[in-house]
């Protein structure tokens, strides 16, 4: 019944799209594709396109909801629908829209009908409301114009009042400026232009101030004037920024005040310096000196306030420094002859290592007696490191200058430094000047503040020395005198740096152009060339000998056995001795040191005797075959040649060992501290210690070669003692009673005699005694190994010969005797081995 009902229903409702047929075909197609995929693989099947999805027309359709309907896009979106079907679908959508509109009208019919009745009479009402709007608009425009005019008037009054306020402030500044000028003129007692008598500028206020105030208040009075003048400059700068013509009118008054103030200040400062330094001829008590120091501080504070540092320094230079320098440093200051006697440094007695006098480890510029930090000390009167002036006119001159600086200028420098430190705390530096390297370079140096040492004392002293004494001090013709003067000048400079109030002053002094010019005047390359000829000439004269005398005994120098090694060591020591070395030439002397070691190595390679060329020693087997008296007579000179060769080798080994030890000690004590520190980031940087080690390693390689030659010769001579081994059979035959040996052979104790003789064991050998510690054990071990191998071969040869005789002559009666010889040889080998061990 159900299928029939479904058929009837389907038959009664036609299906224009034949959806059931399409669904059945789609199901059949999916079943067929699945069955084929199971046999052929799904990867071989073509990709089936998706069927179009039917979307009915609605209000949500993007093409129908667009503001502008596009026919082409709409048709393309419905391309899967035929035109008749699309027309039918649009008609159905239109009918649905009409039904919805009718339904909407039916739901809101009352509101729709009342819409027209509610708007009745609204036009007249709108006209009544619109009539007063034009009048209101005109009134608002009038009110707006009135308010704008009132606002403009108020703003103009405010601007005028602001301008008046600014002008009032400017006028107030000008009044203050005028009052400040009047006050300054009254303080400085400057008369008006219409006054008949005008006192000199430097005496404008001296008499009146001294009558009105005590002498101790003059500095304070000028300090007050300077403060007022600083305020005046501030007011003038503010007025000048406003382009005020009044400033130009009063500029002459400002200039007159400045000139009068500086004149009075310079006059007072000059009087104070004259009183403190005693250049005026009078003596002052301690109380007066204290007052003068207080006035000096006030004057320096005024100079610092006015930024007139160079003016104060110029007064110090003209008043104090220049007169003394001209009086002390002149061309005849060193006219007296110098004493050739140089005092020696007391040292404990020790064995001299060179021909030079004993030396102490080098310390550059040993003028300082105290190791404490001079800037950390609270005592301003600490001792000055004076030079040793015994029999030295240059040192006496420098000490006089140091005493002058300490007595007349040190207090002034310290006071000026304190004033500068208060006004500029960045200048205060309490580190020690002695800790600064001598080759310090300051990139920038501020010119603010006082720097009396760098700008006054050192430039005048340096100029005077270069101009008056330059031909004497900087002459390098006599190296000893040049070194003495160079050391004295460097000690003098270090003493000046010791007196300097701060490291900032020391840095400024070293960066001054006079300091650079002064250092360039030293003829250091010429001095080095003279020393180089002196040192290298002696070494080359000594190394001209290309032969080592084995019988030479250097009793005067117990460290080295050859005069050549002693000469090289003396040259090395002289390069870094206080009698020759100059720190500025450290790199040149270091290069010369390496060259001397290299030259000594080349000389050793030249004079090193060769075993094959010196001695044509025959092998022990050849010696055993030549038993004639002529062969024994030829062995005597041959043995003497080997003895001389061993002595030469021993001398070379001793000198190389001593040279290595002495050079390393010299590096630790002097060279390492004397060489300047180089920047590790430099591309061509080479560690000096590595370079020295490379040179010493080259000497060690020669020592290793010589040691091998010595061991070879000692092994050969020790093996010569094994020649009697071949006589064991004849000794056994000559014995009346045949018995096994119980004692060692007579030649066994003689085997190590060459080793003992070489190392001086049980005898006297100057070279061998020094080689026992590092060479005896190793060399003796190698010699014993060589002898044992040769000895074992000889014994085996003797026993083998006896066995062969037994096998070759079995019928002879001597068979038993030869067999006993073989057994005796083996027993002899065991007994000798036990003794030798």
């Amino acid at each position: 019944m159900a299928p029939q009902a479904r058929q009837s229903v389907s038959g009664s409702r036609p299906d224009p799209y034949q959806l059931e047929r399409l669904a059945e075909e789609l199901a059949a197609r999916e079943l067929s594709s699945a069955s084929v995929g199971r046999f052929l693989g799904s990867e071989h099947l073509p990709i089936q396109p998706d069927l179009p999805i039917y979307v009915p027309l609605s209000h949500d359709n993007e093409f129908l909801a667009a503001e502008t309907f596009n026919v082409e896009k709409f048709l393309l979106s419905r391309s899967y629908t035929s035109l008749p079907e699309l027309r039918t679908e649009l008609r159905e959508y239109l009918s649905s829209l009409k039904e919805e509109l009718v339904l909407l009208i039916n739901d809101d019919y009352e509101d729709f009908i009342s819409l027209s009745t509610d708007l009745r009479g609204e036009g007249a009402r709108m006209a009544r409301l619109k009539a007063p709007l034009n009048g209101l608009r005109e009134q608002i425009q009038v009110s707006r114009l009135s308010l704008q005019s009132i606002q403009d008037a108020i703003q103009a009054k405010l601007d005028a009042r602001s301008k008046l306020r600014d002008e009032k402030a400017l006028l107030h500044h000008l009044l203050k400026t005028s009052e400040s000028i009047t006050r300054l003129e009254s303080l400085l007692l400057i008369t008006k232009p219409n006054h008949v008598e005008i006192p000199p500028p430097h005496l404008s206020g001296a008499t009146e101030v001294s009558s009105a105030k005590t002498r101790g208040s003059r500095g304070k009075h000028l300090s007050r004037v300077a403060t007022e003048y600083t305020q005046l400059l501030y007011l003038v700068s503010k007025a000048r920024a406003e382009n005020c013509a009044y400033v130009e009118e009063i500029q002459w008054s400002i200039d007159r005040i400045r000139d009068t103030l500086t004149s009075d200040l310079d006059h007072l400062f000059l009087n104070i310096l004259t009183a403190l330094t005693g250049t005026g001829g009078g003596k002052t008590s301690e109380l007066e000196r204290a007052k003068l120091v207080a006035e000096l501080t006030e004057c320096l504070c005024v100079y610092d306030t006015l930024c007139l540092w160079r003016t104060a320094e110029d007064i110090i230079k003209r008043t104090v420094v220049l007169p003394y320098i001209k009086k002390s440093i002149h061309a005849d200051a060193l006219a007296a002859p110098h004493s050739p006697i140089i005092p020696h440094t007391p040292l404990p007695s020790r064995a001299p290592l060179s021909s030079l006098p004993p030396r102490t480890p080098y310390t550059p510029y040993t003028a300082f007696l105290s190791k404490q930090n001079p800037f950390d000390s609270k005592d301003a009167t600490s001792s000055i490191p004076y030079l040793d002036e015994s029999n030295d006119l240059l040192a006496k001159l420098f000490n006089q200058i140091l005493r002058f600086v300490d007595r007349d200028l040190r207090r002034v420098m310290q006071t000026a430094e304190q004033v500068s430190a208060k006004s500029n705390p960045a200048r205060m530096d309490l580190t020690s000047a002695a800790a600064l390297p001598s080759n310090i370079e300051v990139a920038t140096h501020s010119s603010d503040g006082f720097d009396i040492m760098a700008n006054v004392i050192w430039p005048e002293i340096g100029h005077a020395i270069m101009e008056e004494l330059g031909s004497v001090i900087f002459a390098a013709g006599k190296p000893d005198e040049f070194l003495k003067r160079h050391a004295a000048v460097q000690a003098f400079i270090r003493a000046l740096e010791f007196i300097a109030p701060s490291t900032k002053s020391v840095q400024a002094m070293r960066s001054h152009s006079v300091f650079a010019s002064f250092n360039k005047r030293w003829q250091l390359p010429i001095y080095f060339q003279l020393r180089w000829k002196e040192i290298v000439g002696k070494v080359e004269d000594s190394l001209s000998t290309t032969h080592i005398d084995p019988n030479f005994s250097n009793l005067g120098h117990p460290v080295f056995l050859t005069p050549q090694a002693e000469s090289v060591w003396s040259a090395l020591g002289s390069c870094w001795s206080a009698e020759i070395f100059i720190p500025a030439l450290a790199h040149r002397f270091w290069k010369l040191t390496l060259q001397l070691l290299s030259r000594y190595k080349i000389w050793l390679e030249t004079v090193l005797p060769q075993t094959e060329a010196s001695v044509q020693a025959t092998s022990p087997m050849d010696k055993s075959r030549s038993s004639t008296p002529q062969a024994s007579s030829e062995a005597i000179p041959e043995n003497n040649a080997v003895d001389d060769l061993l002595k030469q080798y021993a001398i070379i080994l001793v000198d190389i060992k001593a040279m290595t030890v002495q050079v390393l000690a010299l590096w630790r004590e002097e060279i390492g501290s004397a060489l300047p520190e180089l920047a590790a980031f430099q591309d061509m940087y080479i560690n000096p210690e590595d370079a020295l080690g490379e040179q010493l390693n080259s000497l060690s390689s020669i020592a290793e070669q010589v040691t091998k030659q010595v061991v070879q010769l000692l092994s050969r001579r020790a093996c010569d003692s094994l020649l009697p081994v071949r006589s064991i059979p004849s000794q056994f035959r000559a014995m009346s009673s045949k018995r096994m040996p119980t004692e060692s052979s007579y030649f066994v104790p003689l085997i190590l005699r060459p080793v003992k003789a070489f190392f001086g064991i049980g005898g006297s050998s100057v070279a061998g005694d020094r080689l026992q510690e590092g060479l005896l054990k190793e060399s003796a071990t190698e010699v014993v190994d060589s002898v044992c191998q040769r000895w074992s071969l000889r014994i085996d040869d003797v026993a083998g010969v006896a066995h062969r005789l037994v096998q070759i002559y079995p019928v002879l009666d001597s068979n038993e005797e030869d067999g006993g010889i073989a057994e005796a040889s083996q027993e002899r080998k065991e007994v000798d081995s036990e003794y030798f061990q």
Side-chain angles (χ1 to χ4, degrees):
M1 293 296 295
Q4 295 178 0
R6 189 179 298 111
Q7 291 177 1
S8 62
V9 171
S10 62
S12 61
R13 182 177 297 175
D15 187 3
Y17 299 105
Q18 300 180 358
L19 297 177
E20 295 182 358
R21 182 179 60 79
L22 292 176
E24 292 176 357
E25 290 180 359
L26 179 61
R29 186 180 299 173
E30 290 178 355
L31 291 175
S32 62
S33 62
S35 60
V36 173
R38 283 195 298 268
F39 294 100
L40 300 178
S42 60
E43 64 276 3
H44 300 288
L45 295 177
I47 299 175
Q48 298 294 335
D50 295 336
L51 293 176
I53 300 175
Y54 175 75
V55 180
L57 295 176
S58 63
H59 304 312
D60 298 333
N61 192 298
E62 57 180 350
F63 301 103
L64 297 178
E67 295 182 0
T68 303
F69 181 73
N70 193 332
V71 180
E72 295 180 357
K73 291 183 180 180
F74 176 76
L75 292 176
L76 290 175
S77 65
R78 317 291 290 187
S79 60
Y80 56 86
T81 306
S82 62
L83 292 178
E85 294 177 352
L86 181 60
R87 181 179 59 187
T88 303
E89 188 176 359
L90 289 174
R91 287 177 179 176
E92 291 179 355
Y93 182 65
L94 177 61
S95 62
S96 64
L97 287 177
K98 291 180 179 180
E99 291 178 359
E100 290 180 2
L101 180 60
V102 172
L103 182 60
L104 180 62
I105 293 173
N106 292 335
D107 292 340
D108 299 332
Y109 180 75
E110 296 179 357
D111 297 335
F112 184 75
I113 295 299
S114 62
L115 181 62
S116 59
T117 59
D118 292 341
L119 295 177
R120 188 177 301 170
E122 290 296 329
R125 188 184 302 172
M126 293 296 294
R128 289 194 303 269
L129 291 175
K130 185 178 180 181
L133 290 179
N134 294 329
L136 291 175
R137 185 181 295 109
E138 293 177 357
Q139 293 178 3
I140 290 172
Q141 292 292 337
V142 172
S143 299
R144 181 178 296 173
L145 293 176
S146 177
L147 289 176
Q148 184 65 37
S149 62
I150 294 173
Q151 184 178 359
D152 294 341
I154 293 173
Q155 185 64 37
K157 289 184 179 181
L158 291 176
D159 294 341
R161 185 171 296 179
S162 177
K163 185 177 181 181
L164 290 175
R165 189 184 302 110
D166 294 340
E167 291 179 355
K168 182 180 179 181
L170 178 59
L171 182 59
H172 184 66
H173 275 292
L174 295 178
L175 290 175
K176 283 186 176 181
T177 302
S178 179
E179 292 175 358
S180 179
I181 292 175
T182 304
R183 190 161 46 250
L184 285 171
E185 289 177 349
S186 63
L187 289 174
L188 294 174
L189 298 179
I190 299 176
T191 58
K192 298 297 181 180
N194 55 3
H195 198 275
V196 178
E197 183 180 357
I198 299 176
H202 65 279
L203 297 176
S204 60
T207 305
E208 290 79 358
V209 171
S210 61
S211 62
K213 300 178 180 294
T214 61
R215 187 177 178 224
S217 61
R218 292 175 60 189
K220 295 181 180 179
H221 174 74
L222 290 178
S223 178
R224 177 187 173 188
V225 173
T227 304
E228 189 69 28
Y229 178 72
T230 304
Q231 184 179 3
L232 173 62
L233 293 180
Y234 171 74
L235 296 175
V236 170
S237 65
K238 297 290 287 184
R240 185 175 283 110
E242 299 293 337
N243 297 324
C244 186
Y246 178 73
V247 176
E248 303 298 332
E249 295 294 333
I250 64 173
Q251 185 63 43
W252 67 273
S253 298
I254 298 174
D255 295 339
R256 187 174 60 169
I257 292 172
R258 181 193 60 198
D259 296 339
T260 305
L261 175 58
T262 54
S263 177
D264 290 349
L265 182 61
D266 294 346
H267 182 69
L268 177 61
F269 188 57
L270 181 60
N271 293 335
I272 293 173
L273 288 177
T274 304
L276 279 176
T277 57
T279 56
K283 295 183 178 181
T284 57
S285 62
E286 292 296 331
L287 181 60
E288 292 178 350
R289 290 184 64 85
K291 293 180 180 180
L292 290 174
V293 171
E295 292 185 14
L296 175 67
T297 304
E298 292 292 342
C299 288
L300 292 175
C301 289
V302 173
Y303 278 116
D304 185 72
T305 303
L306 300 177
C307 300
L308 298 177
W309 308 291
R310 305 292 87 82
T311 303
E313 292 172 354
D314 185 67
I315 293 174
I316 296 173
K317 178 171 63 175
R318 288 186 288 103
T319 306
V320 182
V321 179
L322 273 180
Y324 182 83
I325 295 300
K326 291 181 179 179
K327 181 178 65 175
S328 301
I329 303 177
H330 50 84
D332 298 332
L334 303 178
H338 297 281
S339 174
I341 301 177
I342 301 177
H344 296 279
T345 303
L347 291 174
S349 61
R350 62 176 182 177
L353 299 182
S354 67
S355 59
L356 295 174
R359 66 179 185 275
T360 57
Y362 180 74
T363 302
Y365 314 145
T366 57
F368 291 108
L369 301 178
S370 175
K371 298 298 183 180
Q372 65 180 357
N373 189 344
F375 304 110
D376 291 338
S377 176
K378 302 298 182 182
D379 185 10
T381 61
S382 59
S383 60
I384 304 300
Y386 294 108
L387 283 69
D388 184 10
E389 59 183 21
S390 59
N391 300 323
D392 192 348
L393 294 178
L394 183 61
K396 290 181 179 179
L397 175 61
F398 287 156
N399 285 339
Q400 291 177 3
I401 297 174
L402 291 175
R403 293 188 183 96
F404 159 73
V405 174
D406 181 46
R407 182 186 68 250
D408 295 340
L409 297 174
R410 189 173 189 179
R411 188 181 295 274
V412 179
M413 286 191 296
Q414 292 175 351
T415 305
E417 186 67 23
Q418 293 173 2
V419 172
S420 298
K422 288 181 181 179
S423 61
N424 186 11
R427 283 180 56 88
M428 181 60 67
D429 189 0
L430 297 179
T431 56
S432 174
L436 294 174
S438 59
N439 57 350
I440 188 172
E441 294 182 0
V442 182
T444 59
H445 174 63
S446 175
S447 60
D448 296 343
F450 296 100
D451 211 336
I452 299 175
M453 176 61 75
N455 298 330
V456 178
I457 299 176
W458 168 249
E460 297 303 324
I461 295 176
H463 274 302
I465 293 176
M466 287 189 291
E467 293 177 0
E468 302 295 337
L469 305 177
S471 59
V472 178
I473 293 179
F474 300 109
K478 298 180 180 180
D480 295 335
E481 295 295 331
F482 178 83
L483 178 64
K484 185 178 179 181
R485 291 191 298 267
H486 183 273
V489 171
Q490 297 299 329
F492 171 69
I493 293 175
R494 296 293 290 179
L496 286 178
E497 294 176 354
F498 183 87
I499 300 175
S502 66
T503 55
K504 195 74 174 180
S505 179
V506 175
Q507 294 174 1
M509 173 182 167
R510 294 180 182 179
S511 61
H512 201 277
S513 58
V514 176
F515 194 86
S517 302
F518 190 88
N519 288 332
K520 290 180 180 179
R521 289 290 300 274
W522 292 109
Q523 301 177 5
L524 296 179
I526 298 177
Y527 170 79
F528 178 77
Q529 289 296 329
L530 295 176
R531 291 299 191 185
W532 185 88
K533 291 181 180 179
E534 177 184 346
I535 295 172
V536 175
K538 295 179 181 179
V539 173
E540 290 298 332
D541 291 342
S542 177
L543 297 183
S544 60
T545 303
T546 59
H547 176 70
I548 298 177
D549 186 4
N551 299 320
F552 177 78
S553 179
N554 190 9
L555 300 178
H557 200 290
V559 178
F560 299 97
L561 300 182
T562 59
Q564 292 79 13
E566 179 185 355
S567 176
V568 172
W569 167 243
S570 177
L572 292 174
S574 63
C575 289
W576 304 97
S577 64
E579 293 81 5
I580 293 179
F581 179 71
I582 293 179
L585 297 173
H587 61 289
R588 293 176 181 262
F589 282 110
W590 172 242
K591 182 179 179 180
L592 179 58
T593 300
L594 298 179
Q595 290 175 345
L596 289 174
L597 290 175
S598 178
R599 180 67 180 89
Y600 180 62
K601 174 204 169 188
I602 295 174
W603 179 80
L604 286 177
E605 293 175 348
T606 303
V607 303
L608 187 65
Q610 300 295 330
T611 305
E612 292 78 12
S614 301
V615 180
Q616 298 294 335
T618 57
S619 63
M621 296 297 294
D622 296 335
K623 289 182 179 182
S624 61
R625 295 173 184 175
S626 54
S627 59
T628 61
Q630 182 179 2
S632 61
S633 62
E634 292 177 354
I636 295 176
E638 180 180 338
N639 292 333
N640 294 333
V642 172
D643 292 338
D644 293 342
L645 190 60
L646 289 175
K647 289 180 181 180
Q648 293 178 2
Y649 284 153
I651 291 172
I652 292 175
L653 291 175
V654 170
D655 285 348
I656 291 177
K657 180 180 178 181
M659 184 66 70
T660 303
V661 173
Q662 296 296 330
V663 169
L664 290 177
L666 183 65
W667 166 264
R668 291 190 301 268
E669 295 175 1
E670 299 183 14
I671 301 178
S673 58
L675 286 178
E677 296 182 0
L678 299 178
F681 54 82
Q682 293 180 356
D683 297 336
M684 300 302 294
Y685 174 75
I686 300 177
N687 190 2
E689 190 172 1
D690 295 341
L692 181 63
E694 184 177 354
Q695 291 293 336
L696 296 179
N697 290 335
S698 63
L699 294 179
S700 300
S701 62
I702 295 177
E704 292 177 359
Q705 298 177 4
V706 173
T707 303
K708 293 180 180 179
Q709 296 290 340
V710 169
V711 172
Q712 181 180 0
L713 291 176
L714 292 178
S715 300
R716 182 179 300 174
R717 298 197 66 178
C719 292
D720 291 345
S721 302
L722 298 179
L723 294 177
V725 173
R726 300 182 62 87
S727 63
I728 290 178
S730 59
Q731 294 177 4
F732 186 79
R733 291 189 184 95
M735 292 174 60
S736 58
S737 58
K738 305 298 187 295
R739 57 183 179 82
M740 291 299 174
T742 57
E743 297 180 355
S744 62
S745 301
Y746 68 94
F747 56 85
V748 172
L750 304 178
I751 293 177
L752 294 180
R753 179 178 293 178
V755 178
K756 294 180 180 180
F758 179 78
F759 289 101
I761 301 176
S764 60
S765 176
V766 179
D769 295 340
R770 299 186 185 183
L771 298 176
Q772 291 183 11
E773 181 178 356
L775 193 62
L776 175 60
K777 184 177 180 180
E778 180 181 358
S779 302
T781 302
E782 295 182 7
V783 171
V784 168
D785 292 341
S786 177
V787 170
C788 290
Q789 293 177 3
R790 182 63 62 86
W791 186 25
S792 177
L793 292 176
R794 291 293 179 85
I795 293 295
D796 293 341
D797 290 343
V798 171
V801 170
H803 282 294
R804 285 195 297 273
L805 291 175
V806 172
Q807 295 176 0
I808 295 173
Y809 305 104
V811 184
L812 297 178
D813 296 337
S814 60
N815 291 342
E816 296 180 359
E817 185 177 355
D818 293 333
I821 291 173
E823 295 178 1
S825 299
Q826 293 296 332
E827 187 66 23
R828 173 64 62 186
K829 178 179 179 181
E830 295 177 0
V831 173
D832 291 346
S833 299
E834 292 178 0
Y835 177 84
F836 195 69
Q837 292 176 359

